[in-house]
Amino acid sequence: MHDVLDPDSDRGRVYRCLVGHPRVSLDQLAARAGLGEDVVRAVLKELAAEDIVVTTDSGAGEPFWEALPPTEVVEALLQRDAAVRTSLRQAGTELERLYRFARRDAGHYGALEVVEDPARVLAVSRQIQQSARHQIRVIDVPPYSGTSDFYLAQEVLQRERMAAGVVYRSIYHGSAFDDPIAWPNMARMIEAGEQARTLDDPPMKLAIGDNDLAVVTLAADDHPGVVSLLIRPSGLFQALSNVFESLWRLAVPISAAGTGTQIDARDRRILTLMASGATDDAIARHLGVGRRTVVRRVSALLARLGATTRFQAGVQAARRGWL
């Protein structure tokens, strides 16, 4: 039915001629459309059956043809499309139920797929990132087995996705700072805009793309290497999403800014006093400086450490060897 709006189709040419030239005979219509009378007659029969054109009595034996208003035709098209989409959704829902039911009967959980091939594991990781529209959530734990080339390729992909507006939120294991291959890549990504936090011992390696797919990577039980569990939207998926958000609230923000640099003796003393729970007034009295100076230095140190609380600043400073 859509081709009635296509000026390059026979049906479209006939309908367009009728829109611009009402109440014409078949031979006149054929001449204006540049089509044979037999073709026009067949097209008019189809359009009349679809309530797109009607005939009127000419009084001379042969009827005149008239187009129905285009707004009515377009509305009819839209309603028909909506009915088709509704039917497709219903069919898809029924097939999905059958799919899950069949696999549940076979001893499988329909939302879960096990992937053991290392190449497929890496391909799934890229797939999650390439298909994400809003955010990627990652829990990254050792062992870090990727090569330098792997991390560079990942860096290129992540930069592309972040440039496209995808937000990356990553929770790293505390030992990531000590890995000579993984940490430089992480630092560059954090500097490029990745939101990163750290925990001493996250419970799993996890990646979640939007609300569409989660991947848990585990050590294989019966052979060297890893296996990945692909989890699609389900109760299990929601549980993993909740786990990430809970760990994210517990994790300490990290920043690539200032990593590996040193601080002066006064800032080290301020951090030490902060970590012990001293207030700004107490720090000012201890150092013999004004309270405003302490407030200004504390704010600068929090920003430098990527921390939002004094406790987080203390943890970050300790990890960087500043205390």
Side-chain angles (χ1 to χ4, degrees):
M1 189 174 179
H2 290 81
D3 62 352
V4 75
L5 301 178
D6 181 1
D8 294 325
S9 69
D10 290 349
R11 287 156 59 94
R13 291 167 69 179
V14 170
Y15 179 69
R16 189 170 289 261
C17 285
L18 283 174
V19 168
H21 304 280
R23 293 179 55 79
V24 294
S25 62
L26 186 145
D27 58 334
Q28 293 171 326
L29 184 56
R32 291 184 181 280
L35 299 170
E37 290 189 16
D38 289 342
V39 173
V40 173
R41 185 178 290 107
V43 168
L44 288 171
K45 183 177 180 181
E46 294 175 0
L47 296 181
E50 295 175 3
D51 296 325
I52 296 176
V53 300
V54 295
T55 60
T56 58
D57 187 1
S58 67
E62 185 176 356
F64 286 144
W65 290 90
E66 175 70 275
L68 291 182
T71 54
E72 292 184 16
V73 173
V74 171
E75 183 61 30
L77 284 171
L78 293 175
Q79 291 179 1
R80 187 171 299 185
D81 283 351
V84 169
R85 286 196 295 271
T86 298
S87 177
L88 286 173
R89 288 193 186 98
Q90 291 174 345
T93 298
E94 292 301 319
L95 286 172
E96 181 69 15
R97 288 174 183 166
L98 177 60
Y99 177 90
R100 294 183 182 278
F101 181 79
R103 281 151 184 76
R104 185 164 54 247
D105 277 0
H108 298 290
Y109 179 45
L112 178 66
E113 178 184 352
V114 178
V115 177
E116 298 189 65
D117 177 38
R120 175 90 192 284
V121 171
L122 294 178
V124 168
S125 173
R126 295 186 65 85
Q127 173 195 338
I128 286 180
Q129 297 178 76
Q130 290 168 337
S131 61
R133 300 173 300 282
H134 305 294
Q135 70 168 333
I136 298 291
R137 293 175 287 175
V138 174
I139 300 175
D140 198 11
V141 300
Y144 302 111
S145 56
T147 63
S148 297
D149 289 342
F150 167 80
Y151 285 113
L152 289 176
Q154 167 58 30
E155 182 176 332
V156 170
L157 175 59
Q158 184 170 336
R159 288 183 184 275
E160 290 175 353
R161 301 308 298 143
M162 289 195 295
V166 177
V167 174
Y168 276 71
R169 290 196 288 151
S170 300
I171 299 173
Y172 292 109
H173 193 283
S175 64
F177 297 99
D178 302 321
D179 189 279
I181 296 179
W183 169 243
N185 167 263
M186 296 176 192
R188 287 192 294 269
M189 291 298 90
I190 294 168
E191 188 175 4
E194 174 183 293
Q195 299 177 30
R197 298 189 178 189
T198 182
L199 275 177
D200 284 338
D201 192 18
M204 69 185 79
K205 186 186 288 284
L206 172 67
I208 307 176
D210 288 335
N211 292 314
D212 301 324
L213 183 64
V215 178
V216 177
T217 303
L218 308 166
D221 291 331
D222 54 355
H223 59 80
V226 299
V227 296
S228 285
L229 309 179
L230 278 59
I231 299 101
R232 294 177 175 82
S234 58
L236 177 57
F237 180 98
Q238 189 58 51
L240 290 171
S241 178
N242 293 342
V243 165
F244 178 90
E245 296 302 334
S246 295
L247 294 177
W248 180 260
R249 288 190 291 271
L250 294 172
V252 178
I254 58 177
S255 168
T259 301
T261 62
Q262 297 300 313
I263 59 173
D264 60 30
R266 186 178 66 173
D267 280 348
R268 180 175 288 105
R269 286 158 67 192
I270 290 174
L271 282 169
T272 301
L273 291 167
M274 283 171 55
S276 69
T279 65
D280 291 341
D281 289 332
I283 295 173
R285 288 194 302 271
H286 186 83
L287 298 180
V289 298
R291 184 179 184 279
R292 288 187 178 180
T293 299
V294 172
V295 171
R296 187 167 57 251
R297 292 310 307 153
V298 167
S299 177
L301 287 167
L302 289 173
R304 188 173 177 184
L305 291 163
T308 57
T309 68
R310 291 170 178 248
F311 172 76
Q312 291 174 347
V315 172
Q316 280 287 68
R319 283 176 175 160
R320 298 187 185 193
W322 289 359
L323 298 179

